[in-house]
Amino acid sequence: MSVLPDPGATRAVLIGTSRYDHLEQLPAVSNNLTSLAAALTEPSSWGLPSEHCAVIANPRTAEMTMTAVRAAAEEARDTVLIYFAGHGLVDPEGDLYLAMPQSRQQRVETGLSYRWLRQALLTGRAERCVVVLDCCYSGLALGSMGTGDLADQASVEGTFLLAAAAETRTALAPPGEPFTAFTGELLDVLRTGIPNGPELLEFGSLYRHVRNRLAAKGRPTPQARDRNTGAQLALGRNSAYLPATAPQALVGGEYPAARSWPSPLGILTVQGFFKTLADVRVTSGLTHQMVSRRSGGLISAGTVSRLLNRDTLPKSWRTTAAYLSACGVPEAQVTEWQTVWMRLLTDNTDEDAASPAVPQPKREPALLQGWIGRISRRTERGRGASGSG
């Protein structure tokens, strides 16, 4: 089952070295960092808050980088993503280290040993880890990789590792192109999606698609390693899967039989609650006005907009329940949403030192429950209040 990380409980650290004192320059890496950070903070991707996505460009010391990595690994309760672009080097013992601006060949003390980064991830609190390495490992400027392959050297238990092991300097940063070869393909998939692909951009599918595109261009192909269910972790929604316009999502007033609704079960934070709540409307293919009409007038279009743009949980379940039912979410899953809402409401109240007493969510009037049940039954039968909108 695909998993879309909770953005409120997810952290990303994007590291890149474009300027070097002793190695070839990689100016495209600077564009990699800027564009990838923008993609990860887009609502259609993870929707990460900008403060949860640290960008470290041309770090002068390994300690500076490791401080950010350790902080992200400790703060993340859902997923932590570590990305590195730049030269990758191999020490005399055949271990991987990531090149900093002052790095030299065969001088591991001048770079960042992957062993340190790996240990920080293993001792962190995140349930899942993703490591993306855009490094070149062979060619005259960078030396040879040795007998073991990159993914085996850099494997981290419980993660998905996506690594670009380019063979030459040109393959890593093709002349005239704004990005390195690997990250350029990754960014393009995030923007345009995978035609005929899954609803979510799972790392397993994303890896295969990027690999095929690079192979078709005659460029070195990436490697991947999956631990546990890492391949099912998603980097966002597949834009090529979504309908072109909202009305096309309904045919004769009916929802597609196999519609896959965003699950609330993985939500850990209030930010994740509202991000996934907004994803429900995207999945439904309905506009705010259409949601309002399908609620039978229970909620207005303005109320829908205000609900999806909140940053604190509503104290009453009424509006959220009506919204979910009008979108077409089955009653059983609406109940799951209510359970998550109650848990988050209680957790946030417990953390508020000024309010030691935990208020219990109010029981909704029987009339409202009847309304919600009727909305759900009408929607499931494909006879909403507004028909096809």
Side-chain angles (χ1 to χ4, degrees):
M1 179 179 177
S2 300
V3 178
L4 194 60
D6 180 335
T10 293
R11 300 293 187 272
V13 181
L14 311 183
I15 310 159
T17 306
S18 59
R19 301 193 302 268
Y20 290 93
D21 297 339
H22 308 288
L23 302 172
E24 297 233 12
Q25 308 305 306
L26 299 174
V29 168
S30 179
N31 295 332
N32 286 7
L33 296 179
T34 302
S35 296
L36 187 57
L40 295 180
T41 54
E42 277 289 322
S44 59
S45 180
W46 274 353
L48 286 180
S50 57
E51 63 270 21
H52 291 182
C53 185
V55 177
I56 303 177
N58 299 303
R60 296 306 303 179
T61 66
E63 181 181 6
M64 170 186 175
T65 306
M66 287 304 303
T67 297
V69 170
R70 288 195 180 95
E74 281 299 314
E75 293 170 5
R77 287 181 289 146
D78 189 321
T79 299
V80 60
L81 180 148
I82 306 298
Y83 167 90
F84 173 79
H87 288 308
L89 304 175
V90 181
D91 70 15
E93 296 181 356
D95 290 330
L96 167 67
Y97 67 105
L98 311 178
M100 304 286 102
Q102 71 282 7
S103 291
R104 294 175 180 268
Q105 293 276 4
Q106 302 290 302
R107 301 282 184 86
V108 67
E109 71 274 11
T110 64
L112 172 62
S113 170
Y114 189 84
R115 290 179 180 270
W116 304 343
L117 192 153
R118 181 179 185 275
Q119 187 60 34
L121 295 179
L122 288 174
T123 58
R125 296 197 306 162
E127 292 184 7
R128 292 174 287 265
C129 300
V130 176
V131 180
V132 180
L133 300 176
D134 190 347
C135 309
C136 184
Y137 287 89
S138 60
L140 294 177
L142 301 176
S144 62
M145 187 60 206
T147 58
D149 71 29
L150 168 62
D152 284 336
Q153 290 195 38
S155 63
V156 178
E157 292 298 325
T159 73
F160 190 87
L161 171 72
L162 188 57
E167 296 176 355
T168 67
R169 165 69 174 77
T170 300
L172 178 64
E177 296 187 15
F179 308 108
T180 58
F182 171 77
T183 297
E185 294 295 343
L186 179 64
L187 288 168
D188 191 60
V189 174
L190 291 178
R191 286 192 297 264
T192 63
I194 302 176
N196 303 314
E199 187 172 356
L200 297 179
L201 286 176
E202 301 172 338
F203 273 98
S205 299
L206 187 149
Y207 159 67
R208 290 188 293 273
H209 190 69
V210 169
R211 181 183 176 88
N212 290 339
R213 290 178 61 160
L214 287 169
K217 295 179 180 180
R219 294 178 174 178
T221 54
Q223 301 174 52
R225 288 292 184 274
D226 171 31
R227 295 293 186 273
N228 299 326
T229 58
Q232 297 174 353
L233 189 66
L235 194 57
R237 294 195 169 275
N238 181 6
S239 61
Y241 181 89
L242 299 176
T245 59
Q248 292 179 0
L250 296 173
V251 180
E254 297 185 1
Y255 289 101
R259 183 173 297 280
S260 176
W261 296 102
S263 172
L265 299 182
I267 295 173
L268 298 173
T269 66
V270 174
Q271 289 174 320
F273 183 87
F274 288 112
K275 169 64 167 63
T276 310
L277 204 63
D279 287 343
V280 168
R281 187 193 64 79
V282 173
T283 301
S284 74
L286 299 172
T287 63
H288 292 186
Q289 291 79 7
M290 293 167 70
V291 172
S292 174
R293 288 198 292 272
R294 294 182 70 84
S295 76
L298 196 60
I299 52 176
S300 68
T303 299
V304 173
S305 178
R306 288 190 293 273
L307 173 66
L308 300 183
N309 287 283
R310 292 178 62 108
D311 54 14
T312 59
L313 288 171
K315 301 303 181 184
S316 168
W317 176 241
R318 172 190 174 107
T319 299
T320 308
Y323 163 80
L324 290 167
S325 297
C327 284
V329 176
E331 278 189 85
Q333 198 169 33
V334 173
T335 300
E336 292 177 353
W337 274 93
Q338 185 176 21
T339 300
V340 172
W341 167 74
M342 294 177 67
R343 171 172 55 78
L344 291 174
L345 193 65
T346 300
D347 289 347
N348 279 270
T349 303
D350 287 342
E351 292 172 1
D352 187 353
S355 302
V358 179
Q360 296 299 316
K362 296 180 180 179
R363 185 176 298 276
E364 304 296 343
L367 178 60
L368 172 62
Q369 295 294 343
W371 256 108
I372 293 171
R374 287 196 289 274
I375 292 172
S376 298
R377 288 189 289 273
R378 286 204 306 269
T379 304
E380 290 172 3
R381 291 196 301 266
R383 296 198 303 270
S386 61
S388 62

